[in-house]
Amino acid sequence: MLLLGLGAAIVLLREVFRIPLGLPGHHGVEAMALLATARFCTDHRWGATIAAMGAALTAGAIGAGHGGLFPALYLLPGLVIDTGAMLVPGWRRRLLWIPLFAALGHATKPVVKWFALGGTDVHMGSMVNGLPYPLTTHLLFGFTGALVATLGWRALEKRSSSS
């Protein structure tokens, strides 16, 4: 339930804080922080994916989906994080693995949108400047959010091990 709740929080935070920064992917900070937290707080190999399913279900339930692609846009980052963690057995011991996987996972959103638009230079919405700009911003916001969560998780582990 905790993992599904983290996923629901992703959607609820996005809906509550509708701050139009004009930067594609800026909600990736909180979304990838929550997915990274989901990955850290369980030994379940699909922890981030379960949280991502919670986000997709919540988005569908409250009508916050963005067209027919929204389930994939929510699920893919969790799948990328979990698959990366499965491929790198020592991911918990290294600071940058989860932020890297989260960055790649969050970057799936503009890539999926680009393919859905036919892989052309359709300049609309977040693709107004083409694919490179939203791809870069999604990578940066995803990495940043997961890095903050990773640092927070490590500080919590250090604190609880010293107590």
Side-chain angles (χ1 to χ4, degrees):
M1 292 309 285
L2 170 68
L3 297 176
L4 293 173
L6 287 170
I10 291 170
V11 176
L12 297 175
L13 284 171
R14 179 183 173 91
E15 291 302 306
V16 169
F17 297 108
R18 294 187 146 275
I19 303 166
L21 295 180
L23 298 170
H26 66 279
H27 284 289
V29 172
E30 70 267 14
M32 295 306 107
L34 289 168
L35 287 183
T37 300
R39 187 68 213 123
F40 280 115
C41 74
T42 183
D43 287 330
H44 193 287
R45 63 189 298 164
W46 298 108
T49 303
I50 292 168
M53 281 193 284
L57 291 169
T58 302
I62 67 170
H66 303 287
L69 292 176
F70 86 89
L73 298 179
Y74 282 109
L75 287 173
L76 283 173
L79 287 167
V80 170
I81 292 169
D82 287 335
T83 302
M86 285 183 243
L87 292 174
V88 180
W91 65 268
R92 283 189 186 267
R93 293 186 304 272
R94 300 284 186 239
L95 179 68
L96 297 179
W97 280 118
I98 291 298
L100 176 63
F101 301 146
L104 295 172
H106 192 49
T108 61
K109 187 174 183 179
V111 172
V112 168
K113 284 183 174 183
W114 184 73
F115 276 113
L117 294 170
T120 62
D121 284 336
V122 176
H123 299 290
M124 56 186 269
S126 63
M127 298 293 178
V128 71
N129 295 309
L131 179 61
Y133 178 65
L135 184 62
T136 302
T137 58
H138 278 74
L139 285 165
L140 291 172
F141 285 123
F143 184 87
T144 302
L147 181 61
V148 168
T150 300
L151 292 172
W153 190 263
R154 284 182 169 221
L156 194 65
E157 281 183 326
K158 184 181 265 189
R159 184 180 221 188
S160 63
S161 70
S162 67
S163 303

